Amino acid sequence: DAKTTQPPSMDCAEGRAANLPCNHSTISGNEYVYWYRQIHSQGPQYIIHGLKNNETNEMASLIITEDRKSSTLILPHATLRDTAVYYCIVRAGANNLFFGTGTRLTVIP
Amino acid sequence: ETGVTQTPRHLVMGMTNKKSLKCEQHLGHNAMYWYKQSAKKPLELMFVYNFKEQTENNSVPSRFSPECPNSSHLFLHLHTLQPEDSALYLCASSLDPLGVDEQFFGPGTRLTVL
């Protein structure tokens, strides 16, 4: 599996967009980019995934660069409930996900 | 509510006890997973079951014994655990074990081994 690199922590003001970066320079052509988040002591929650096109759903947008070596998760209007650890995962299938240390996002009032 | 339930939510056990964790999914999924999350560590995949068959065991000690009687239920039997086994144990499921669908996680069981 391709390894990912994420900043350990980020802050975002409430109501502003949160942009979480992820580098995955060794990604293979058949590997998808997944984003999950984990609110303290709860099970991880799926957010979004994509292969090469940008994706958007009711929770977030995923922007993948043309060379697919990096991506950005965008929470358009961060709320206090978005405070969590966000995991960027690169995998060919959903079966075996490797969760690294992620980015701890703190939304500040 | 993700459609994946886990019981009990909290468990305290001694090192000589035998206990079981239960996971149930109401999503019609075909793959189920056990993960372990120790304090301040990333999630570690323990076991994978596809269509009730175990397809992955990530070098988990034999004191953890999984059981998958059908596609909707997954158990983790515990015996002679060590204090370092104290952790959050998470169950997850996904629709197609060979596909790209997301995993749905339960709320976890917080296990403390005394």
Side-chain angles (χ1 to χ4, degrees), chain A residues 93-95, chain B residues 29-31 33 50-51 94-102:
Chain A
N95 206 269
Chain B
H29 288 173
N30 297 306
Y33 315 80
N50 292 327
F51 296 101
S94 65
L95 178 60
D96 180 356
L98 300 179
V100 297
D101 301 291
E102 66 269 29

Side-chain angles (χ1 to χ4, degrees), chain B residues 7-103:
Chain B
T7 53
R9 294 293 307 277
H10 300 271
L11 178 63
V12 179
M13 59 186 290
M15 289 191 286
T16 58
N17 292 157
K18 289 185 180 181
K19 297 286 184 183
S20 296
L21 309 184
K22 180 182 176 181
C23 175
E24 185 173 0
Q25 55 97 358
H26 311 275
L27 302 167
H29 288 173
N30 297 306
M32 297 188 77
Y33 315 80
W34 279 117
Y35 288 85
K36 174 185 177 182
Q37 188 172 34
S38 303
K40 301 188 186 303
K41 289 186 178 180
L43 277 80
E44 302 170 55
L45 179 67
M46 300 174 72
F47 301 103
V48 181
Y49 276 82
N50 292 327
F51 296 101
K52 303 187 300 178
E53 298 297 322
Q54 186 181 128
T55 57
E56 196 143 347
N57 175 339
N58 280 347
S59 303
V60 180
S62 60
R63 57 186 185 269
F64 296 91
S65 175
E67 178 190 2
C68 188
N70 54 61
S71 292
S72 300
H73 294 86
L74 185 64
F75 295 89
L76 188 63
H77 304 300
L78 316 171
H79 64 96
T80 59
L81 294 193
Q82 305 298 311
E84 59 264 29
D85 297 321
S86 298
L88 181 68
Y89 288 84
L90 290 156
C91 173
S93 70
S94 65
L95 178 60
D96 180 356
L98 300 179
V100 297
D101 301 291
E102 66 269 29
Q103 291 186 17

